[in-house]
Amino acid sequence: MTIAARELRWSAGGRMVVDGVTLEVTPGRILGLLGPNGSGKSSLLRLLAGLRRAGGGAVTLEGQDLSTQRRAALARRIAVVEQQAATEAPVSVLDIVRLGRTPHRGPFSAWTAADNAAVERALQQTGLEGLRQQPWHTLSGGERQRAQIARALAQEPRELLLDEPTNHLDIRHQLEILALLRRLGLTTIVALHDLNLAATFCDRLVLLRDGRVQCAGRPEEVLTRDTIQAVFGVAVDVETSQQSRRPHIRFLAPLRMPGG
Ligand SMILES: Nc1ncnc2c1ncn2[C@@H]1O[C@H](COP(=O)(O)OP(=O)(O)OP(=O)(O)O)[C@@H](O)[C@H]1O
C-alpha cells in the first residue's frame, strides 16, 4: 500500500464535500476516481496529495500519516496534475516541464545531466519534443494538458495523481495518455469522467456520490448497469468488450429523476 485514506472528511461552504472516504491504491496500479459533477473527486485528490488538510480521518503514505511528513519529501515523490493549471507568464513548454525538477534541486544547485535527462524523457513520452520552445499562451488546450503531464513526469514521482488528464484531448491523445500511464507503472490515482476509458485503463475504481464511496472494486464490479443508472441518472447497456474483456458502456438516455 502506498497512498491510503481512512475515514477522510473535508467540508467547505457549510457542507461535507468528502464524507468518510476510505480507499487504498496498490503500488504500481491505477485507481480511477469516478462520480458525477460535484461528487468530490477533485477535493479528494487534493486531500490525497497533501495539498489540503483533512477535517477528519487520515491520509497515509507507506503507513505514515501524510500530515506528519515533510513537504519537500512529499514533493519529491508525489506529482499532481490539476485541472486548471494556468499561467499568464511568458514561459515556454520547456520552462514548464523544467519546473518538475524543482523538488529535486537545492536553491543554488546547478542544472545537472540527470535533470536534463528527466526533462527530455518527459517531453518525449508526451510527444512534445517539437513544441519545447513554444510559448505557453499560444498552446492549444490539449497541448497545455500534455505539458502539465510532462511537468509531472519530469518530477520522476513514485505516485502520480491526476484530475481529469484527458480533458481537452482528442481521442487519440486521450488513448495515448492513458496508455502511457499504464506503461509507466507508477502508483496512479486518476479522476476521470469517461466511464469507458476508466473501464479500459484502470485496475480498480472508486465511485463517489455526494462525497461518499458508493462502490469500489474492479471495473466489472463497479460499472454495472444498476450502479451507473442510480449514480449518473442515465439508462445504459453494459457489455463486455470482446477485445479487452472490460465493461463497455453504451449510453441510452437520461432517466427521469424522482421529483424531476
Ligand atoms: N472551497 C470550496 N468552498 C465551497 N465549496 C466547495 C469548495 N471546494 C469544493 N466545493 C464544492 O464541493 C463539491 C465537490 O467539488 P469537487 O470539485 O471536488 O467535485 P468534482 O467531483 O471534482 O466535480 P467535477 O466533476 O465537476 O469536476 C462541489 O459542489 C463544490 O462546489
Side-chain angles (χ1 to χ4, degrees):
M1 173 189 11
T2 61
I3 298 183
R6 185 172 23 86
E7 285 297 315
L8 204 57
R9 289 197 160 68
W10 183 74
S11 57
R15 87 185 174 85
M16 204 58 98
V17 173
V18 174
D19 193 358
V21 169
T22 296
L23 59 76
E24 66 180 49
V25 53
T26 309
R29 299 295 178 153
I30 303 182
L31 176 71
L33 291 184
L34 304 178
N37 288 137
S39 56
K41 302 178 296 296
S42 303
S43 305
L44 176 58
L45 269 181
R46 302 205 86 216
L47 291 168
L48 294 171
L51 298 175
R52 188 174 267 166
R53 193 173 273 270
V59 179
T60 57
L61 183 64
E62 316 274 12
Q64 305 277 324
D65 197 316
L66 205 67
S67 62
T68 64
Q69 302 192 33
R70 291 182 50 227
R71 204 152 258 289
L74 292 179
R76 277 195 289 277
R77 65 175 287 174
I78 302 181
V80 186
V81 178
E82 295 206 78
Q83 269 192 68
Q84 305 103 356
T87 175
E88 293 310 313
V91 292
S92 67
V93 169
L94 189 58
D95 295 328
I96 293 289
V97 179
R98 283 178 151 216
L99 285 177
R101 300 305 299 162
T102 309
H104 296 282
R105 307 175 62 235
F108 306 110
S109 56
W111 189 257
T112 66
D115 291 325
N116 238 1
V119 167
E120 287 306 315
R121 198 163 40 245
L123 286 168
Q124 188 248 323
Q125 284 170 323
T126 50
L128 289 174
E129 304 104 308
L131 297 184
R132 68 180 67 216
Q133 299 301 347
Q134 189 160 330
W136 175 263
H137 72 272
T138 66
L139 297 176
S140 74
E143 291 161 349
R144 287 183 183 197
Q145 192 74 359
R146 282 190 286 145
Q148 288 301 338
I149 294 168
R151 194 239 338 121
L153 297 183
Q155 203 175 323
E156 297 186 307
R158 285 163 67 182
E159 287 84 19
L160 183 55
L161 308 188
L162 308 104
D163 197 353
E164 292 178 38
T166 51
N167 243 359
H168 296 298
L169 299 185
D170 61 47
I171 185 63
R172 183 190 171 89
H173 285 115
Q174 290 182 31
L175 294 172
E176 279 183 2
I177 288 295
L178 289 168
L180 171 63
L181 295 184
R182 280 203 77 82
R183 278 200 308 282
L184 288 169
L186 300 170
T187 304
T188 303
I189 305 180
V190 54
L192 288 169
H193 270 300
D194 189 313
L195 304 187
N196 283 314
L197 287 178
T200 306
F201 289 97
C202 296
D203 297 294
R204 297 186 76 80
L205 300 173
V206 167
L207 176 59
L208 294 177
R209 182 187 208 179
D210 297 331
R212 298 198 192 94
V213 176
Q214 173 81 16
C215 194
R218 294 195 309 275
E220 63 272 25
E221 294 170 324
V222 173
L223 294 174
T224 63
R225 181 169 170 271
D226 287 352
T227 302
I228 297 169
Q229 295 196 164
V231 173
F232 291 95
V234 288
V236 294
D237 273 343
V238 182
E239 293 161 1
T240 302
S241 156
Q242 295 292 332
Q243 210 198 344
S244 67
R245 311 305 305 163
R246 303 283 185 117
H248 180 79
I249 301 136
R250 204 153 56 86
F251 298 96
L252 303 174
L255 291 168
R256 200 179 291 275
M257 302 300 270

